[in-house]
Amino acid sequence: MKNCKVALLLTLSLSILITSTSQAKQTQPISDVLRNTYEIQLELFTPLVVAGVLCFIAASISSAGGIGGGGLFIPILTLVAGLDLRTASSLSAFMVSGGSIANVMFNLCIKGSTKFGGKSLIDYDIALLSEPCMLLGVSLGVICNIVFPEWLITILFALFLAWTTSMSCRNGLVCWKMESQEMKIRNDCKRLENGATNDRAGDGAEGNRGVTEPLLGIGTQDNCMQRFPWMKMGVLVLIWCSFCLVYLLRGNRYGQGIIAIEPCGVGYWVLSSSQIPLAIVYTSWILCRKENLQNHTSNQKDNEELTKVEPPNKLLFPVMALLAGILGGVFGIGGGMLISPLLLQVGIAPEVTAATCCFMVFFSSSMSSFQYLLLGMENADTALIFAVTCFVASLLGLVVLQRAIKVYGRASLIVFSVSLVMALSTVLMTSFGVLHVWSDYKSGKYMGFKLPC
């Protein structure tokens, strides 16, 4: 898109030059014109390249924690590349989609970890329970984003991200201490094994295997790897299609949709309100089905031990997802960065949290990208380039992180990567919001609460 603009600008400059010379009076040498054209091209191209490099780094760090990275992409595109907020948000949706696709493919293709009994790191039960309420929360948050003044959104965003960043850092330190204790016990076991006699060598090997594989044996790995939850994946796709259909029928508050509907009219609000019973029906059905399966499945206890999920209430995950979706809609970022600290807080393993959050982000970000395309998005070619860039960056970040975890044996690196992304997002998004608030204040714009339409 930028190259096309540069080509058009170059053509226009040459046309002006030819017109000027045809009038037999040249006011500027040809060298000056070409030099000015080169400077304009460099001015248009350089910020976009710098923004692309920074987004590449941000995507590689964000993918390590299993979060979308929208809190980094939007400030980079607006402050560095000079794009408006609407264009930056649309590009960010495609970039998050590209990174989440890479993360999901990576987690589906890698072999099951022996630490989790050979199971996939993606917890489809958490995704099923969370996705309907998260999509509903995003819609509610978007309405709040329209109603709330920008200064209030900036303050709430800074306070909430500061709290979640400190909470993530605290969880990371706790995980680091636990891993240090486990490594010390493992080293003690190795020393005991090396000092054992030959007739007790078998017992030592068995004890060492118990440390490296604390939950399930190797024999269950093949069975777990062979089972892919097609039913759960189908339900997730059905939820995605249902909410996407509501969004497309409703359109936005400017009347942009696949059908003719009055902007913010009765039909608009009826379709918007239909998301509430839709989320309730899906969540209730999933909870009832899960309870029935628990009564007929003998392995459910093992599954709970693997993910270390012991919620005091079955509605814990839907409530957390609703909260994350609302906050994500209010702040204009993905819910992955908000739900990840909450999952870590309730005791989900860092590896499972990262894989599951990115799996959920894939559905929400792909829905946003799909809506942008159908509603006539501009700069689709630029969005595709940025999406491919984030796809490659995410794969690179995942490979480096997995290698570091394998070498150092510390899954807490995932928690620290989440904390790093959230800290950077707090600084960038807060600075970006302060600049916009100051600009509105200087221009004399209304800074109070607004109507949703």
Side-chain angles (χ1 to χ4, degrees):
M1 190 67 183
K2 291 294 184 182
N3 294 334
C4 295
K5 292 181 179 179
V6 173
L8 291 175
L9 184 61
L10 180 60
T11 304
L12 181 61
S13 301
L14 292 177
S15 301
I16 296 174
L17 176 64
I18 294 173
T19 304
S20 300
T21 54
S22 64
Q23 296 177 356
K25 186 174 182 180
Q26 182 174 343
T27 59
Q28 188 176 11
I30 182 69
S31 59
D32 293 342
V33 174
L34 293 178
R35 183 171 61 252
N36 292 337
T37 304
Y38 175 77
E39 291 176 355
I40 294 174
Q41 178 179 359
L42 187 63
E43 183 180 357
L44 292 173
F45 185 69
T46 302
L48 197 64
V49 173
V50 174
V53 173
L54 294 178
C55 288
F56 185 92
I57 299 174
S60 61
I61 300 174
S62 300
S63 64
I67 55 182
L72 297 178
F73 297 150
I74 294 178
I76 291 175
L77 293 174
T78 52
L79 299 178
V80 178
L83 302 178
D84 59 278
L85 183 58
R86 182 178 180 181
T87 303
S89 300
S90 60
L91 293 179
S92 175
F94 280 83
M95 295 162 66
V96 173
S97 299
S100 60
I101 290 173
N103 206 314
V104 171
M105 290 176 56
F106 183 85
N107 288 304
L108 289 177
C109 293
I110 62 174
K111 295 181 179 180
S113 173
T114 55
K115 178 181 178 181
F116 298 96
K119 290 173 64 66
S120 173
L121 294 178
I122 301 176
D123 194 316
Y124 297 95
D125 292 329
I126 295 179
L128 275 173
L129 286 173
S130 304
E131 199 65 26
C133 290
M134 176 173 284
L135 296 177
L136 172 62
V138 170
S139 296
L140 298 177
V142 169
I143 297 176
C144 295
N145 180 272
I146 298 173
V147 175
F148 291 171
E150 191 164 353
W151 60 267
L152 179 60
I153 295 176
T154 302
I155 293 175
L156 292 177
F157 183 82
L159 293 176
F160 182 80
L161 271 194
W163 174 70
T164 52
T165 301
S166 62
M167 185 173 62
S168 298
C169 291
R170 185 165 58 250
N171 290 331
L173 293 176
V174 172
C175 292
W176 183 278
K177 293 179 181 179
M178 292 177 60
E179 291 166 351
S180 300
Q181 295 176 358
E182 291 178 358
M183 293 176 65
K184 182 179 179 181
I185 295 175
R186 189 176 302 147
N187 293 332
D188 293 339
C189 292
K190 288 182 179 180
R191 285 195 295 267
L192 291 175
E193 181 183 359
N194 293 332
T197 57
N198 293 331
D199 57 346
R200 298 185 59 85
D203 296 337
E206 182 179 358
N208 189 38
R209 187 175 67 87
V211 174
T212 58
E213 302 173 18
L215 297 174
L216 293 178
I218 301 178
T220 60
Q221 180 174 352
D222 295 334
N223 295 331
C224 293
M225 288 296 295
Q226 291 175 359
R227 293 195 299 266
F228 183 81
W230 293 106
M231 181 65 181
K232 297 177 182 179
M233 183 65 71
V235 174
L236 283 170
V237 174
L238 179 61
I239 295 172
W240 186 92
C241 293
S242 300
F243 277 88
C244 188
L245 180 61
V246 173
Y247 292 153
L248 295 177
L249 291 175
R250 181 196 63 181
N252 56 21
R253 64 192 184 106
Y254 303 107
Q256 295 176 328
I258 61 177
I259 62 174
I261 188 172
E262 181 183 358
C264 290
V266 177
Y268 176 89
W269 290 112
V270 168
L271 287 173
S272 299
S273 302
S274 64
Q275 298 175 78
I276 299 176
L278 195 63
I280 294 175
V281 168
Y282 275 123
T283 303
S284 301
W285 178 59
I286 292 170
L287 286 173
C288 293
R289 180 176 176 81
K290 183 177 177 62
E291 185 175 356
N292 293 333
L293 289 177
Q294 286 180 355
N295 296 330
H296 295 87
T297 304
S298 60
N299 294 331
Q300 184 65 29
K301 182 178 179 180
D302 295 335
N303 293 337
E304 291 180 356
E305 291 177 356
L306 288 175
T307 55
K308 299 181 181 180
V309 180
E310 296 180 1
N313 193 336
K314 294 181 180 180
L315 296 177
L316 177 63
F317 292 116
V319 171
M320 288 195 313
L322 181 64
L323 176 62
I326 292 175
L327 295 174
V330 171
F331 303 141
I333 58 176
M337 189 169 63
L338 303 174
I339 198 172
S340 179
L342 298 177
L343 292 180
L344 291 172
Q345 186 68 23
V346 298
I348 307 297
E351 301 97 323
V352 177
T353 297
T356 305
C357 283
C358 203
F359 182 71
M360 296 166 58
V361 167
F362 165 72
F363 284 92
S364 58
S365 61
S366 61
M367 179 177 296
S368 300
S369 302
F370 184 66
Q371 292 181 70
Y372 278 122
L373 287 176
L374 289 185
L375 296 178
M377 173 189 173
E378 299 178 356
N379 305 322
D381 51 351
T382 305
L384 181 61
I385 294 175
F386 273 101
V388 173
T389 301
C390 291
F391 178 87
V392 176
S394 298
L395 285 180
L396 179 62
L398 287 169
V399 171
V400 172
L401 179 67
Q402 292 298 325
R403 181 66 61 87
I405 292 177
K406 184 177 181 180
V407 172
Y408 299 103
R410 293 188 179 275
S412 56
L413 295 175
I414 298 177
V415 186
F416 288 126
S417 65
V418 172
S419 303
L420 177 61
V421 173
M422 295 183 67
L424 293 175
S425 299
T426 303
V427 175
L428 292 178
M429 291 292 287
T430 303
S431 302
F432 175 71
V434 169
L435 291 176
H436 266 265
V437 171
W438 179 249
S439 177
D440 292 343
Y441 175 75
K442 291 183 63 178
S443 60
K445 290 184 179 179
Y446 176 72
M447 301 182 64
F449 290 86
K450 301 176 289 292
L451 296 175
C453 296

